[in-house]
Amino acid sequence: MNLKNYIRSIPNYPKKGILFRDITTLIKDEKAFAESIDQIVERSKKFKIDKIAAIESRGFVFASAVSYLLKKPFIMLRKKDKLPAETYSVDFELEYGTATIEVHKDSIKKDDSVLIIDDLIATGGTAEAAAKLVEVSGGNVAAFIFAINLFDLGGSDNLVDKGYLVENLMDFPGH
């Protein structure tokens, strides 16, 4: 099954010049969604994993299913002020602004090996912030797995250049 056939492209969203790659068309098809989860699970077998983390919000869709199948704890990396207990925070740059993500301080223990899953990587700012959250918590990033890599925006390559292991299910241009 070619998962790329299930991704809808929407020009000029959320702003002019952006070509948005929409996963809702993939996840609403039960066979395509199952195939994407199966591919992530298969790729995750390459790594030693204690926990699975995902970036809000579309990363939760994939990571929670993978966490369930692999019987690993699921850690939510959330937008600022969305978690009720004590958190670590990391600020980062987006293609069109700035943001903050957080994790509960008790989510990741020293030397936990954490797989980070998200729906898409563009420039990599959010992914780098997620890695910093894992590391400031005392954990190690086992790898990243993304459903979509916008290869011409360089985020995946940037993570590899920083020493992280990265797997992508699909590659699309970002423009």
Side-chain angles (χ1 to χ4, degrees), residues 9-21 95-96 122 150 153 173-175:
S9 298
I10 302 171
N12 300 313
Y13 182 84
K15 70 177 202 171
K16 189 171 173 69
I18 303 283
L19 182 56
F20 187 81
R21 303 301 180 166
E95 299 89 293
Y96 36 83
L150 301 181
L153 299 182
H175 297 95

Side-chain angles (χ1 to χ4, degrees), residues 31-50:
K31 290 179 180 153
F33 182 58
E35 176 65 22
S36 66
I37 297 302
D38 289 346
Q39 286 188 28
I40 293 171
V41 167
E42 190 58 35
R43 289 168 187 252
S44 71
K45 291 177 181 176
K46 300 176 185 177
F47 313 109
K48 178 200 171 290
I49 301 166
D50 297 312

Side-chain angles (χ1 to χ4, degrees), residues 63-82:
S64 59
V66 172
S67 174
Y68 171 77
L69 290 172
L70 294 179
K71 309 266 187 278
K72 300 290 182 185
F74 175 55
I75 308 301
M76 294 187 295
L77 307 177
R78 300 222 45 205
K79 294 173 184 164
K80 186 175 178 64
D81 297 327
K82 298 288 183 179

Side-chain angles (χ1 to χ4, degrees), residues 121-124 127-128 131 135 141 144 146 149 151-168:
I121 183 162
T123 61
E128 283 187 61
E135 291 160 356
V141 176
F144 288 91
F146 301 99
N149 172 33
F151 62 84
D152 58 336
L153 299 182
S156 189
D157 291 338
N158 185 40
L159 291 174
V160 170
D161 290 347
K162 292 184 178 201
Y164 296 109
L165 301 172
V166 178
E167 295 279 333
N168 302 301

Side-chain angles (χ1 to χ4, degrees), residues 17 60 66 73 76 84 130 132 139 155 169:
F60 293 174
V66 172
M76 294 187 295
K132 286 180 188 171
L169 302 189

Side-chain angles (χ1 to χ4, degrees), residues 1 27 37 39 56 74 85 91 102 107 112 118 144 147 163 171:
M1 170 181 287
I27 63 177
I37 297 302
Q39 286 188 28
E56 186 171 350
F74 175 55
D91 299 323
E102 299 180 326
S107 292
D112 276 347
D118 204 3
F144 288 91
D171 290 308

